[in-house]
Structure formats: structure tokens, C-alpha cells
Amino acid sequence: MIPRRYERLKQVLSKRQPDLTVVTEDVHKPHNLSAIIRTCDAVGVFEVHGINSNIKVPTYSQVAQGSEKWVQLHTHNHIKTAIANLQGSGFKIYAAHLSKEAKDYRDIDYTCPTAILLGAEKHGVSDLAAKLVDGHIIIPMMGMVQSLNVSVAAAVILFEAQRQRLAAKMYDRVNLDSETFNRVIFEWGYPELAAMYRRRGEAYPTLDEQGNIKH
Ligand code: SAM
């Protein structure tokens, strides 16, 4: 790997925000999921959760636009367990949901561990998810159309989270533990080799200062 490339990978990974995530509930159109993941990459989201309780989450080959290499997508079959796991890890989950109780999305503190739940293209957030989350948020709509495209809603909310986190200097420090950082930098820098080590069940080798594999 050329040193400039290694520096760039380290720089991007250093800004990743493991305590900011997105949960998509039955978002099934590949271009929407792709656009959401692309925005996640731009904002520094480390991983995304896709729930496929009713429909299959598109595979990465269907959403592939490049961003999938940089943001991990975890798929889950049950919204209930996905929400419980995130809440158990200390996340507050806010459903982007056009309900009467929804708060303006700018009134949330996104510097705390936060997951943003987005609903399906046609049916929106399920009743179950709406009940289980910690709150609802809304992007005020002043026009004739009732809702935004799901990927647009994701971008509006995520860039507010980015604004708050920039102000709190949360991009100025490394937020990943060193084990995760070293694992991911190897996967980003050497994807084929990483896949081979995983297939063999072997640990990844360590990298030197320039990002070369230590022998
Ligand atoms: N008919 C659906 C409904 O009533 O929820 C519309 C679904 S909308 C196209 C898809 C998803 O985008 C929603 O579930 C929500 O997560 C998000 N979304 C769209 N517009 C939004 C807005 N103005 N405020 C908050 N979330 C919004």
C-alpha cells in the first residue's frame, strides 16, 4: 500500500463515530439504501443496521456504489431484538416518524450515543418500532407532499448530528478502540487478504508505520 493511501485510510477511520448509527426498517429499494450508506460514510457513521422483518434487505452487491466498503451493514431479522440490543449498549433510538408526538429533529442531542431509525418507503415506521424507540423526530414539512424520500430524510438528520458533533469536537479524537481500529484498517487496506485470513480463521497480521505487512 502506498503511504499516502494508508494515511488517508487512517484519517477517515479516525473520524468514525461508533456511537452514531442508523437503523433501516424494511427499507428495500437498493438505491435508497445505497444513498443512506453513502451519507453515513460522509458523516462518519461506523456501521448501519438493516432490519428485514417483512422484506429482504438488499445485498451489498445490489447497493454497491463504493460506500459499502467503508460502512459495515449488519442485517437483523427482528426489529425488537435489534432495538433491544442497541438500547442495551446505551444507545437512545429516535424513529424518524411522522407522528403527533414527534419532536423537531433539531431538538435532539446527537452527541449522546444515538441511533436513527428510518421507516420503509411505503409504510414508514412500524407500530411496534414506534412503540419501542426512545422518541420520534420529524423534519418539518411546509409543502403539499407529506413526507421526504427516506434517504433524503436520513441525510437531513445525519448532517444535523454531524453539525453537533463537529461543534463538540467529536471528530478531533479517535473514537474506536485500538483493536477495532487495527482490524478495520487492515480490512480497508487489504480487503482480499483480510477475506483470506477470515476464511482460514487466522488472525490478521500487524502493519508497520507505512501500512506494510510486518513479516
Ligand atoms: N407513508 C409513510 C409514512 O407515513 O411514514 C411515508 C414513508 S417515508 C417515504 C419513508 C421514511 O422516511 C419514513 O418512515 C421516515 O423514517 C422518513 N421520513 C420521510 N419524511 C420525513 C419527515 N418529514 N420527518 C421525519 N422522517 C421522515
Side-chain angles (χ1 to χ4, degrees):
M1 177 160 38
I2 55 169
R4 220 174 40 186
R5 167 88 173 157
Y6 185 52
E7 279 311 308
R8 173 99 179 107
L9 294 179
K10 280 201 300 186
Q11 193 192 42
V12 170
L13 194 55
S14 300
K15 294 191 186 306
R16 285 297 195 242
Q17 309 283 301
D19 60 350
L20 176 65
T21 190
V22 164
V23 180
T24 62
E25 188 187 24
D26 292 333
V27 171
H28 64 283
K29 292 191 177 162
H31 63 272
N32 283 337
L33 197 58
S34 175
I36 292 169
I37 290 167
R38 196 165 173 164
T39 300
C40 284
D41 172 54
V43 168
V45 169
F46 181 59
E47 52 194 2
V48 171
H49 300 269
I51 317 294
N52 54 359
S53 43
N54 293 320
I55 26 204
K56 252 200 141 2
V57 173
T59 60
Y60 255 155
S61 58
Q62 288 172 294
V63 300
Q65 294 266 326
S67 318
E68 81 284 356
K69 284 189 240 159
W70 317 116
V71 183
Q72 256 201 314
L73 173 68
H74 299 283
T75 53
H76 308 260
N77 291 326
H78 302 289
I79 185 76
K80 202 173 165 182
T81 46
I83 288 178
N85 286 345
L86 282 167
Q87 286 172 332
S89 307
F91 281 82
K92 286 260 184 259
I93 306 181
Y94 296 102
H97 189 37
L98 303 119
S99 71
K100 286 206 183 84
E101 65 193 79
K103 280 188 187 172
D104 187 303
Y105 76 102
R106 290 160 292 204
D107 292 342
I108 299 297
D109 179 0
Y110 297 100
T111 62
C112 299
T114 307
I116 297 154
L117 187 136
L118 299 154
E121 287 88 347
K122 192 161 174 200
H123 302 294
V125 172
S126 69
D127 291 345
L128 178 63
K131 212 166 68 185
L132 293 173
V133 294
D134 298 282
H136 300 170
I137 50 175
I138 190 166
I139 303 159
M141 304 286 291
M142 311 294 173
M144 295 292 288
V145 183
Q146 210 200 354
S147 67
L148 296 168
N149 168 278
V150 63
S151 66
V152 174
V156 170
I157 298 165
L158 281 169
F159 276 97
E160 170 60 14
Q162 188 207 55
R163 188 192 66 77
Q164 291 186 16
R165 283 174 174 246
L166 276 168
K169 304 201 178 310
M170 292 174 78
Y171 291 94
D172 295 353
R173 55 171 189 258
V174 179
N175 296 291
L176 295 169
D177 61 78
S178 59
E179 197 185 319
T180 308
F181 192 96
N182 292 337
R183 173 178 60 78
V184 176
I185 205 84
F186 187 77
E187 289 170 352
W188 283 9
Y190 300 94
E192 286 92 10
L193 265 183
M196 188 197 79
Y197 278 100
R198 283 198 301 276
R199 268 197 311 275
R200 291 182 180 174
E202 290 173 16
Y204 296 153
T206 42
L207 301 178
D208 68 14
E209 302 276 280
Q210 277 81 43
N212 297 313
I213 295 170
K214 275 190 187 168
H215 292 290

PDB file of all heavy atoms in Angstrom, residues 20-48:
ATOM      1  N   LEU A  20     -22.793   6.637  16.802  1.00  0.00           N
ATOM      2  CA  LEU A  20     -23.854   7.230  15.971  1.00  0.00           C
ATOM      3  C   LEU A  20     -24.176   6.191  14.901  1.00  0.00           C
ATOM      4  O   LEU A  20     -23.294   5.775  14.147  1.00  0.00           O
ATOM      5  CB  LEU A  20     -23.372   8.530  15.314  1.00  0.00           C
ATOM      6  CG  LEU A  20     -24.359   9.193  14.348  1.00  0.00           C
ATOM      7  CD1 LEU A  20     -25.613   9.681  15.087  1.00  0.00           C
ATOM      8  CD2 LEU A  20     -23.696  10.381  13.631  1.00  0.00           C
ATOM      9  N   THR A  21     -25.424   5.747  14.851  1.00  0.00           N
ATOM     10  CA  THR A  21     -25.751   4.710  13.874  1.00  0.00           C
ATOM     11  C   THR A  21     -27.142   4.938  13.284  1.00  0.00           C
ATOM     12  O   THR A  21     -27.897   5.810  13.743  1.00  0.00           O
ATOM     13  CB  THR A  21     -25.612   3.303  14.506  1.00  0.00           C
ATOM     14  OG1 THR A  21     -25.696   2.316  13.479  1.00  0.00           O
ATOM     15  CG2 THR A  21     -26.685   3.005  15.540  1.00  0.00           C
ATOM     16  N   VAL A  22     -27.434   4.138  12.281  1.00  0.00           N
ATOM     17  CA  VAL A  22     -28.715   4.224  11.582  1.00  0.00           C
ATOM     18  C   VAL A  22     -29.325   2.829  11.552  1.00  0.00           C
ATOM     19  O   VAL A  22     -28.615   1.834  11.365  1.00  0.00           O
ATOM     20  CB  VAL A  22     -28.484   4.751  10.138  1.00  0.00           C
ATOM     21  CG1 VAL A  22     -29.687   4.492   9.241  1.00  0.00           C
ATOM     22  CG2 VAL A  22     -28.153   6.232  10.160  1.00  0.00           C
ATOM     23  N   VAL A  23     -30.635   2.761  11.768  1.00  0.00           N
ATOM     24  CA  VAL A  23     -31.364   1.502  11.653  1.00  0.00           C
ATOM     25  C   VAL A  23     -32.384   1.704  10.545  1.00  0.00           C
ATOM     26  O   VAL A  23     -33.200   2.628  10.619  1.00  0.00           O
ATOM     27  CB  VAL A  23     -32.099   1.157  12.978  1.00  0.00           C
ATOM     28  CG1 VAL A  23     -32.851  -0.160  12.849  1.00  0.00           C
ATOM     29  CG2 VAL A  23     -31.124   1.107  14.153  1.00  0.00           C
ATOM     30  N   THR A  24     -32.328   0.873   9.510  1.00  0.00           N
ATOM     31  CA  THR A  24     -33.344   0.980   8.458  1.00  0.00           C
ATOM     32  C   THR A  24     -34.338  -0.165   8.655  1.00  0.00           C
ATOM     33  O   THR A  24     -33.934  -1.324   8.800  1.00  0.00           O
ATOM     34  CB  THR A  24     -32.713   0.911   7.054  1.00  0.00           C
ATOM     35  OG1 THR A  24     -32.065  -0.353   6.894  1.00  0.00           O
ATOM     36  CG2 THR A  24     -31.707   2.017   6.827  1.00  0.00           C
ATOM     37  N   GLU A  25     -35.607   0.183   8.706  1.00  0.00           N
ATOM     38  CA  GLU A  25     -36.632  -0.853   8.923  1.00  0.00           C
ATOM     39  C   GLU A  25     -37.336  -1.145   7.597  1.00  0.00           C
ATOM     40  O   GLU A  25     -38.148  -0.343   7.129  1.00  0.00           O
ATOM     41  CB  GLU A  25     -37.655  -0.378   9.975  1.00  0.00           C
ATOM     42  CG  GLU A  25     -38.609  -1.495  10.365  1.00  0.00           C
ATOM     43  CD  GLU A  25     -39.745  -1.044  11.264  1.00  0.00           C
ATOM     44  OE1 GLU A  25     -40.122   0.149  11.268  1.00  0.00           O
ATOM     45  OE2 GLU A  25     -40.299  -1.930  11.951  1.00  0.00           O
ATOM     46  N   ASP A  26     -37.006  -2.266   7.005  1.00  0.00           N
ATOM     47  CA  ASP A  26     -37.636  -2.691   5.756  1.00  0.00           C
ATOM     48  C   ASP A  26     -37.445  -1.694   4.602  1.00  0.00           C
ATOM     49  O   ASP A  26     -38.282  -1.624   3.699  1.00  0.00           O
ATOM     50  CB  ASP A  26     -39.127  -2.975   5.962  1.00  0.00           C
ATOM     51  CG  ASP A  26     -39.355  -4.206   6.846  1.00  0.00           C
ATOM     52  OD1 ASP A  26     -38.473  -5.083   6.870  1.00  0.00           O
ATOM     53  OD2 ASP A  26     -40.400  -4.274   7.506  1.00  0.00           O
ATOM     54  N   VAL A  27     -36.370  -0.914   4.675  1.00  0.00           N
ATOM     55  CA  VAL A  27     -36.031  -0.074   3.508  1.00  0.00           C
ATOM     56  C   VAL A  27     -35.478  -1.044   2.466  1.00  0.00           C
ATOM     57  O   VAL A  27     -34.471  -1.714   2.713  1.00  0.00           O
ATOM     58  CB  VAL A  27     -34.980   1.006   3.875  1.00  0.00           C
ATOM     59  CG1 VAL A  27     -34.462   1.732   2.637  1.00  0.00           C
ATOM     60  CG2 VAL A  27     -35.584   2.006   4.870  1.00  0.00           C
ATOM     61  N   HIS A  28     -36.166  -1.173   1.346  1.00  0.00           N
ATOM     62  CA  HIS A  28     -35.838  -2.278   0.451  1.00  0.00           C
ATOM     63  C   HIS A  28     -35.370  -1.866  -0.935  1.00  0.00           C
ATOM     64  O   HIS A  28     -34.928  -2.695  -1.714  1.00  0.00           O
ATOM     65  CB  HIS A  28     -37.039  -3.223   0.320  1.00  0.00           C
ATOM     66  CG  HIS A  28     -38.212  -2.563  -0.327  1.00  0.00           C
ATOM     67  ND1 HIS A  28     -39.013  -1.678   0.359  1.00  0.00           N
ATOM     68  CD2 HIS A  28     -38.690  -2.621  -1.584  1.00  0.00           C
ATOM     69  CE1 HIS A  28     -39.939  -1.234  -0.458  1.00  0.00           C
ATOM     70  NE2 HIS A  28     -39.771  -1.785  -1.646  1.00  0.00           N
ATOM     71  N   LYS A  29     -35.502  -0.582  -1.265  1.00  0.00           N
ATOM     72  CA  LYS A  29     -35.042  -0.182  -2.608  1.00  0.00           C
ATOM     73  C   LYS A  29     -33.531   0.015  -2.567  1.00  0.00           C
ATOM     74  O   LYS A  29     -33.036   0.846  -1.786  1.00  0.00           O
ATOM     75  CB  LYS A  29     -35.743   1.098  -3.051  1.00  0.00           C
ATOM     76  CG  LYS A  29     -37.224   0.869  -3.286  1.00  0.00           C
ATOM     77  CD  LYS A  29     -37.883   2.039  -3.963  1.00  0.00           C
ATOM     78  CE  LYS A  29     -39.345   1.701  -4.221  1.00  0.00           C
ATOM     79  NZ  LYS A  29     -40.163   2.879  -4.491  1.00  0.00           N
ATOM     80  N   PRO A  30     -32.796  -0.731  -3.423  1.00  0.00           N
ATOM     81  CA  PRO A  30     -31.329  -0.663  -3.358  1.00  0.00           C
ATOM     82  C   PRO A  30     -30.786   0.766  -3.448  1.00  0.00           C
ATOM     83  O   PRO A  30     -29.863   1.121  -2.734  1.00  0.00           O
ATOM     84  CB  PRO A  30     -30.881  -1.515  -4.547  1.00  0.00           C
ATOM     85  CG  PRO A  30     -31.998  -2.471  -4.767  1.00  0.00           C
ATOM     86  CD  PRO A  30     -33.254  -1.731  -4.409  1.00  0.00           C
ATOM     87  N   HIS A  31     -31.391   1.602  -4.313  1.00  0.00           N
ATOM     88  CA  HIS A  31     -30.823   2.947  -4.453  1.00  0.00           C
ATOM     89  C   HIS A  31     -31.031   3.782  -3.186  1.00  0.00           C
ATOM     90  O   HIS A  31     -30.215   4.640  -2.866  1.00  0.00           O
ATOM     91  CB  HIS A  31     -31.377   3.664  -5.696  1.00  0.00           C
ATOM     92  CG  HIS A  31     -32.848   3.917  -5.655  1.00  0.00           C
ATOM     93  ND1 HIS A  31     -33.768   2.995  -6.107  1.00  0.00           N
ATOM     94  CD2 HIS A  31     -33.563   4.972  -5.202  1.00  0.00           C
ATOM     95  CE1 HIS A  31     -34.990   3.495  -5.953  1.00  0.00           C
ATOM     96  NE2 HIS A  31     -34.884   4.695  -5.393  1.00  0.00           N
ATOM     97  N   ASN A  32     -32.105   3.513  -2.445  1.00  0.00           N
ATOM     98  CA  ASN A  32     -32.300   4.248  -1.188  1.00  0.00           C
ATOM     99  C   ASN A  32     -31.286   3.810  -0.138  1.00  0.00           C
ATOM    100  O   ASN A  32     -30.676   4.644   0.534  1.00  0.00           O
ATOM    101  CB  ASN A  32     -33.719   4.023  -0.653  1.00  0.00           C
ATOM    102  CG  ASN A  32     -34.746   4.845  -1.413  1.00  0.00           C
ATOM    103  OD1 ASN A  32     -34.395   5.861  -2.029  1.00  0.00           O
ATOM    104  ND2 ASN A  32     -35.993   4.432  -1.390  1.00  0.00           N
ATOM    105  N   LEU A  33     -31.113   2.503  -0.007  1.00  0.00           N
ATOM    106  CA  LEU A  33     -30.149   2.001   0.971  1.00  0.00           C
ATOM    107  C   LEU A  33     -28.738   2.478   0.609  1.00  0.00           C
ATOM    108  O   LEU A  33     -27.964   2.896   1.472  1.00  0.00           O
ATOM    109  CB  LEU A  33     -30.209   0.473   1.022  1.00  0.00           C
ATOM    110  CG  LEU A  33     -29.559  -0.150   2.259  1.00  0.00           C
ATOM    111  CD1 LEU A  33     -30.182   0.370   3.552  1.00  0.00           C
ATOM    112  CD2 LEU A  33     -29.675  -1.665   2.215  1.00  0.00           C
ATOM    113  N   SER A  34     -28.455   2.450  -0.681  1.00  0.00           N
ATOM    114  CA  SER A  34     -27.149   2.899  -1.145  1.00  0.00           C
ATOM    115  C   SER A  34     -26.916   4.373  -0.791  1.00  0.00           C
ATOM    116  O   SER A  34     -25.840   4.746  -0.299  1.00  0.00           O
ATOM    117  CB  SER A  34     -27.092   2.706  -2.654  1.00  0.00           C
ATOM    118  OG  SER A  34     -25.918   3.212  -3.156  1.00  0.00           O
ATOM    119  N   ALA A  35     -27.931   5.200  -1.022  1.00  0.00           N
ATOM    120  CA  ALA A  35     -27.789   6.637  -0.729  1.00  0.00           C
ATOM    121  C   ALA A  35     -27.637   6.859   0.780  1.00  0.00           C
ATOM    122  O   ALA A  35     -26.856   7.715   1.209  1.00  0.00           O
ATOM    123  CB  ALA A  35     -29.002   7.395  -1.260  1.00  0.00           C
ATOM    124  N   ILE A  36     -28.339   6.082   1.576  1.00  0.00           N
ATOM    125  CA  ILE A  36     -28.231   6.212   3.044  1.00  0.00           C
ATOM    126  C   ILE A  36     -26.806   5.851   3.485  1.00  0.00           C
ATOM    127  O   ILE A  36     -26.180   6.560   4.275  1.00  0.00           O
ATOM    128  CB  ILE A  36     -29.281   5.322   3.754  1.00  0.00           C
ATOM    129  CG1 ILE A  36     -30.695   5.857   3.491  1.00  0.00           C
ATOM    130  CG2 ILE A  36     -29.016   5.247   5.263  1.00  0.00           C
ATOM    131  CD1 ILE A  36     -31.824   4.920   3.917  1.00  0.00           C
ATOM    132  N   ILE A  37     -26.288   4.765   2.926  1.00  0.00           N
ATOM    133  CA  ILE A  37     -24.941   4.318   3.322  1.00  0.00           C
ATOM    134  C   ILE A  37     -23.890   5.335   2.882  1.00  0.00           C
ATOM    135  O   ILE A  37     -22.939   5.623   3.604  1.00  0.00           O
ATOM    136  CB  ILE A  37     -24.665   2.911   2.747  1.00  0.00           C
ATOM    137  CG1 ILE A  37     -25.543   1.886   3.481  1.00  0.00           C
ATOM    138  CG2 ILE A  37     -23.191   2.525   2.900  1.00  0.00           C
ATOM    139  CD1 ILE A  37     -25.615   0.525   2.829  1.00  0.00           C
ATOM    140  N   ARG A  38     -24.113   5.909   1.738  1.00  0.00           N
ATOM    141  CA  ARG A  38     -23.175   6.922   1.242  1.00  0.00           C
ATOM    142  C   ARG A  38     -23.153   8.141   2.176  1.00  0.00           C
ATOM    143  O   ARG A  38     -22.095   8.698   2.480  1.00  0.00           O
ATOM    144  CB  ARG A  38     -23.618   7.330  -0.161  1.00  0.00           C
ATOM    145  CG  ARG A  38     -22.583   8.047  -0.930  1.00  0.00           C
ATOM    146  CD  ARG A  38     -22.995   8.069  -2.372  1.00  0.00           C
ATOM    147  NE  ARG A  38     -22.095   8.902  -3.127  1.00  0.00           N
ATOM    148  CZ  ARG A  38     -22.009   8.882  -4.434  1.00  0.00           C
ATOM    149  NH1 ARG A  38     -22.770   8.061  -5.124  1.00  0.00           N
ATOM    150  NH2 ARG A  38     -21.191   9.674  -5.060  1.00  0.00           N
ATOM    151  N   THR A  39     -24.337   8.537   2.625  1.00  0.00           N
ATOM    152  CA  THR A  39     -24.403   9.649   3.578  1.00  0.00           C
ATOM    153  C   THR A  39     -23.749   9.251   4.899  1.00  0.00           C
ATOM    154  O   THR A  39     -23.047  10.051   5.522  1.00  0.00           O
ATOM    155  CB  THR A  39     -25.880  10.059   3.816  1.00  0.00           C
ATOM    156  OG1 THR A  39     -26.425  10.465   2.570  1.00  0.00           O
ATOM    157  CG2 THR A  39     -25.996  11.193   4.810  1.00  0.00           C
ATOM    158  N   CYS A  40     -23.974   8.021   5.326  1.00  0.00           N
ATOM    159  CA  CYS A  40     -23.351   7.545   6.573  1.00  0.00           C
ATOM    160  C   CYS A  40     -21.838   7.671   6.474  1.00  0.00           C
ATOM    161  O   CYS A  40     -21.173   8.133   7.406  1.00  0.00           O
ATOM    162  CB  CYS A  40     -23.742   6.087   6.848  1.00  0.00           C
ATOM    163  SG  CYS A  40     -25.431   5.938   7.461  1.00  0.00           S
ATOM    164  N   ASP A  41     -21.276   7.281   5.336  1.00  0.00           N
ATOM    165  CA  ASP A  41     -19.833   7.393   5.145  1.00  0.00           C
ATOM    166  C   ASP A  41     -19.401   8.857   5.279  1.00  0.00           C
ATOM    167  O   ASP A  41     -18.431   9.166   5.978  1.00  0.00           O
ATOM    168  CB  ASP A  41     -19.450   6.834   3.765  1.00  0.00           C
ATOM    169  CG  ASP A  41     -18.001   7.097   3.416  1.00  0.00           C
ATOM    170  OD1 ASP A  41     -17.131   6.726   4.223  1.00  0.00           O
ATOM    171  OD2 ASP A  41     -17.737   7.682   2.347  1.00  0.00           O
ATOM    172  N   ALA A  42     -20.153   9.745   4.652  1.00  0.00           N
ATOM    173  CA  ALA A  42     -19.783  11.172   4.663  1.00  0.00           C
ATOM    174  C   ALA A  42     -19.844  11.763   6.071  1.00  0.00           C
ATOM    175  O   ALA A  42     -19.059  12.649   6.415  1.00  0.00           O
ATOM    176  CB  ALA A  42     -20.710  11.946   3.729  1.00  0.00           C
ATOM    177  N   VAL A  43     -20.759  11.268   6.884  1.00  0.00           N
ATOM    178  CA  VAL A  43     -20.951  11.818   8.228  1.00  0.00           C
ATOM    179  C   VAL A  43     -20.012  11.140   9.237  1.00  0.00           C
ATOM    180  O   VAL A  43     -19.758  11.659  10.312  1.00  0.00           O
ATOM    181  CB  VAL A  43     -22.453  11.692   8.616  1.00  0.00           C
ATOM    182  CG1 VAL A  43     -22.707  11.973  10.073  1.00  0.00           C
ATOM    183  CG2 VAL A  43     -23.290  12.629   7.743  1.00  0.00           C
ATOM    184  N   GLY A  44     -19.493   9.967   8.864  1.00  0.00           N
ATOM    185  CA  GLY A  44     -18.581   9.259   9.766  1.00  0.00           C
ATOM    186  C   GLY A  44     -19.260   8.172  10.575  1.00  0.00           C
ATOM    187  O   GLY A  44     -18.722   7.736  11.593  1.00  0.00           O
ATOM    188  N   VAL A  45     -20.433   7.712  10.110  1.00  0.00           N
ATOM    189  CA  VAL A  45     -21.105   6.597  10.797  1.00  0.00           C
ATOM    190  C   VAL A  45     -20.268   5.335  10.557  1.00  0.00           C
ATOM    191  O   VAL A  45     -19.852   5.068   9.431  1.00  0.00           O
ATOM    192  CB  VAL A  45     -22.549   6.418  10.255  1.00  0.00           C
ATOM    193  CG1 VAL A  45     -23.166   5.121  10.757  1.00  0.00           C
ATOM    194  CG2 VAL A  45     -23.396   7.618  10.663  1.00  0.00           C
ATOM    195  N   PHE A  46     -20.047   4.573  11.618  1.00  0.00           N
ATOM    196  CA  PHE A  46     -19.163   3.408  11.516  1.00  0.00           C
ATOM    197  C   PHE A  46     -19.905   2.182  10.975  1.00  0.00           C
ATOM    198  O   PHE A  46     -19.399   1.455  10.136  1.00  0.00           O
ATOM    199  CB  PHE A  46     -18.572   3.116  12.897  1.00  0.00           C
ATOM    200  CG  PHE A  46     -17.629   1.949  12.927  1.00  0.00           C
ATOM    201  CD1 PHE A  46     -16.491   1.942  12.132  1.00  0.00           C
ATOM    202  CD2 PHE A  46     -17.874   0.854  13.742  1.00  0.00           C
ATOM    203  CE1 PHE A  46     -15.608   0.864  12.143  1.00  0.00           C
ATOM    204  CE2 PHE A  46     -16.998  -0.222  13.768  1.00  0.00           C
ATOM    205  CZ  PHE A  46     -15.868  -0.224  12.970  1.00  0.00           C
ATOM    206  N   GLU A  47     -21.117   1.948  11.474  1.00  0.00           N
ATOM    207  CA  GLU A  47     -21.893   0.798  10.987  1.00  0.00           C
ATOM    208  C   GLU A  47     -23.388   1.105  10.979  1.00  0.00           C
ATOM    209  O   GLU A  47     -23.857   1.936  11.745  1.00  0.00           O
ATOM    210  CB  GLU A  47     -21.592  -0.472  11.805  1.00  0.00           C
ATOM    211  CG  GLU A  47     -21.734  -0.305  13.277  1.00  0.00           C
ATOM    212  CD  GLU A  47     -21.118  -1.447  14.088  1.00  0.00           C
ATOM    213  OE1 GLU A  47     -20.539  -2.366  13.491  1.00  0.00           O
ATOM    214  OE2 GLU A  47     -21.238  -1.383  15.317  1.00  0.00           O
ATOM    215  N   VAL A  48     -24.094   0.380  10.111  1.00  0.00           N
ATOM    216  CA  VAL A  48     -25.521   0.598   9.899  1.00  0.00           C
ATOM    217  C   VAL A  48     -26.238  -0.728  10.156  1.00  0.00           C
ATOM    218  O   VAL A  48     -25.673  -1.796   9.930  1.00  0.00           O
ATOM    219  CB  VAL A  48     -25.758   1.035   8.424  1.00  0.00           C
ATOM    220  CG1 VAL A  48     -27.219   1.082   8.064  1.00  0.00           C
ATOM    221  CG2 VAL A  48     -25.103   2.377   8.156  1.00  0.00           C
TER     222      VAL A  48
END
